[in-house]
Amino acid sequence: MSSKSALYVFNGAVWPSGPWLAVYALGYEDQVEVKQINLIEGANFAPEFLKLSPTATIPILILPDRTIQGTNDVVSYLVSNAPNPAGKSSGTDFLQRLHEDLNDPNTALLATRNDAELDAKRAGVPGTFLKNRQEALLKYAPTAPEFASFYEAKIKANGYLNDVYTPGASEELKNGWFTHSQKVWDSIRAFILNDIPAVLPDQGENGAYIGGATPGEEDFQLAAWLARIALLTGATPAPDGAATLKAELGGAEVPEKIIKYWQLWSGTEAWKKVYAHGLH
C-alpha cells in the first residue's frame, strides 16, 4: 500500500478483531491506521458513516484507491498483501461454516434461552446495545432521506429484538427467541467439539496455526470467533481462557487442540494488543 490506509474496528465487536489481529501479526502497523467506530452508541448508523459503509457494518478497510468491506474480503486482502508472510489456507469450507447463521457470535451475544438469561442480558451490554441502536436509527433516519430504505429495514429488524428485550414482552415473542437461541448454542457446541478440532492441525507441544507456522486467513477469523464465544462463558484473554468454554459443552471437555491453540494465540503481541482491555 503506497500511503496509509484505515481499518475501522470497535473494541466491543467480534468480526473486526480478525483483520485487527492481522494488522499486528502481519506487519501492517506503519501502513494501516486502526480507527474505532462505537457500535454501542450506534455511531455506525450516522449518515456520514453510511457513505463509507452502506451496510453500516465493520470491518471496512479504506485504501488509497478503494474501500474493502466485510470480514472475509478485508482479511483476504491483508493476508494476500502482507508485509510479513502469512500462513496457508486449509483448502476447506471452514470459513463458510464459521459464518453460518447458527454459529453467528453476534447472535450468541444476544441469545437468551430462558427468562433468567433474558433478565441478565437485558440489564447488561446486550440490552444497552439494542436500545441504543434503535434510538440511533430513529434519530438518524429523518436526517438522511437518501438512506430511507436502509433505515426502514434496520429499524424493523432491530426492533424485533428490542421488543424481545423490552420488559413485558409477550410469552409468544420471548419463546420464539428462546427456541432460536437454543438452536444457536446447540450449533456452536457441535462446532467447538467437531468442526474446529477437525480443521486444527496437530498442536504438538507449542501449538500450531491452521496456516502452519504463522497464522493465515482462517486463523484470524477463528481467533476472533473463539474470543467472543469464550467471553460469553466468562473467559479472559489469559492463556487458560479457553477452559471456560466447557460451560457450554454439555458436560464434554474442551478439546485439547483448542486449549493449545488459544494458548498459542494468547502469547502473541497481536492478541495482547487487540484484547488489551478484555475479550470482545
Side-chain angles (χ1 to χ4, degrees):
M1 287 178 280
S2 58
S3 61
K4 202 149 193 177
S5 303
L7 175 68
Y8 282 83
V9 304
F10 176 52
N11 59 6
V14 50
W15 290 125
S17 302
W20 195 0
L21 287 165
V23 164
Y24 295 121
L26 299 179
Y28 280 105
E29 294 98 320
D30 294 333
Q31 299 183 35
V32 176
E33 180 183 2
V34 176
K35 296 186 175 183
Q36 294 274 340
I37 182 79
N38 195 321
L39 303 189
I40 292 287
E41 296 176 355
N44 53 313
F45 296 130
E48 295 77 14
F49 189 73
L50 289 181
K51 293 173 184 177
L52 296 176
S53 173
T55 59
T57 57
I58 52 174
I60 57 170
L61 179 64
I62 310 295
L63 303 171
D65 61 341
R66 60 193 168 111
T67 296
I68 301 175
Q69 185 167 5
T71 306
N72 287 331
D73 289 344
V74 172
V75 173
S76 179
Y77 177 88
L78 292 173
V79 166
S80 298
N81 296 275
N84 299 334
K88 65 183 186 306
S89 167
S90 70
T92 70
D93 66 348
F94 180 73
L95 283 182
Q96 180 180 334
R97 287 180 284 125
L98 183 71
H99 285 278
E100 286 178 355
D101 288 346
L102 287 179
N103 294 328
D104 183 7
N106 286 314
T107 303
L109 172 69
L110 301 171
T112 58
R113 292 163 286 192
N114 50 55
D115 281 307
E117 286 190 355
L118 179 58
D119 288 344
K121 290 195 173 184
R122 180 190 293 126
V125 170
T128 301
F129 173 68
L130 289 170
K131 178 176 177 291
N132 287 354
R133 276 168 62 92
Q134 196 71 356
E135 290 177 352
L137 286 164
L138 293 171
K139 177 180 75 173
Y140 291 125
T143 70
E146 66 272 30
F147 297 119
S149 59
F150 166 84
Y151 286 122
E152 182 180 359
K154 278 294 182 182
I155 288 169
K156 181 178 179 180
N158 189 74
Y160 163 71
L161 276 178
N162 195 52
D163 288 345
V164 171
Y165 269 69
T166 299
S170 71
E171 292 301 311
E172 180 181 5
L173 187 63
K174 290 191 300 180
N175 287 336
W177 183 242
F178 294 165
T179 298
H180 181 68
S181 297
Q182 185 62 58
K183 290 179 180 178
V184 167
W185 276 109
D186 287 346
S187 181
I188 288 172
R189 180 183 305 113
F191 194 75
I192 291 171
L193 293 174
N194 302 314
D195 297 72
I196 296 177
V199 78
L200 287 177
D202 180 64
Q203 293 294 290
E205 185 176 344
N206 299 314
Y209 298 108
I210 299 170
T214 56
E217 191 170 343
E218 291 149 313
D219 291 294
F220 295 117
Q221 298 202 45
L222 175 57
W225 188 93
L226 279 171
R228 163 60 64 79
I229 300 302
L231 169 66
L232 298 178
T233 63
T236 71
D240 63 352
T244 65
L245 290 168
K246 183 176 179 178
E248 288 292 346
L249 298 185
E253 296 295 326
V254 181
E256 186 65 18
K257 281 186 173 182
I258 294 178
I259 294 290
K260 287 191 173 182
Y261 185 72
W262 181 286
Q263 290 171 345
L264 174 64
W265 264 114
S266 68
T268 66
E269 287 305 308
W271 182 274
K272 292 172 183 176
K273 289 176 179 177
V274 172
Y275 297 114
H277 302 293
L279 301 172
H280 41 81

